Amino acid sequence: MRIKQLVLFAGAAVLSFSAAAGPQAGTERVEVVGSQPAQVRMKPFMFDRVQGEYGLEDGRVLTVSGTVNGQSRVLTADLGDGPMEIIHVGKDKFVAVDKDVRFSFTGDRIPDEVVVSTAAGKVLALAKR
């Protein structure tokens, strides 16, 4: 009789724990999105060399411009829908702040091509200077 009570109690405990672990009414679903890559210190020549206009294959123009405020250098990129701040995250690679847009510049001294893509690697635009 004592073993039967223990088994019933254990079964009830398992059911109550599994019910507590499942979704409950009134709870919010939170979606975790990947974090932004860490900013890498940009050398002054990199700041100057990426600035300019790049003709996109769809006829639009990508404009990359910079401003200097004391020790701070800020780059912005405009694909025709308003400027967005971009930060340097590695060799010739930049990401937009708070947007899923990546910029990868190629070329020797002066970049002659930039690939605009998402974090997942989907190419949004190819631009040539």
Side-chain angles (χ1 to χ4, degrees):
M1 175 85 171
R2 181 104 169 125
I3 294 176
K4 189 175 182 180
Q5 289 175 336
L6 287 174
V7 170
L8 287 173
F9 176 74
V14 168
L15 288 175
S16 68
F17 285 137
S18 63
Q24 298 176 3
T27 60
E28 278 188 51
R29 180 172 177 246
V30 177
E31 186 174 327
V32 177
V33 179
S35 65
Q36 180 121 5
Q39 185 170 4
V40 175
R41 185 165 167 25
M42 180 177 31
K43 295 183 178 174
F45 73 87
M46 173 63 78
F47 177 77
D48 293 333
R49 73 183 273 246
V50 298
Q51 293 183 57
E53 292 186 346
Y54 302 83
L56 301 174
E57 76 270 355
D58 62 4
R60 296 181 297 161
V61 175
L62 165 64
T63 304
V64 179
S65 56
T67 57
V68 178
N69 187 5
Q71 296 283 61
S72 176
R73 296 184 305 255
V74 177
L75 282 173
T76 58
D78 190 345
L79 290 162
D81 53 356
M84 62 185 112
E85 183 179 349
I86 59 174
I87 59 172
H88 185 238
V89 294
K91 182 170 173 42
D92 299 330
K93 303 213 181 316
F94 294 80
V95 297
V97 176
D98 297 330
K99 291 190 178 182
D100 185 19
V101 181
R102 310 282 193 254
F103 300 87
S104 179
F105 294 86
T106 57
D108 291 328
R109 294 190 152 269
I110 297 174
D112 56 4
E113 185 176 278
V114 60
V115 176
V116 183
S117 62
T118 65
K122 178 182 175 190
V123 175
L124 300 174
L126 176 63
K128 294 191 182 269
R129 195 183 284 210

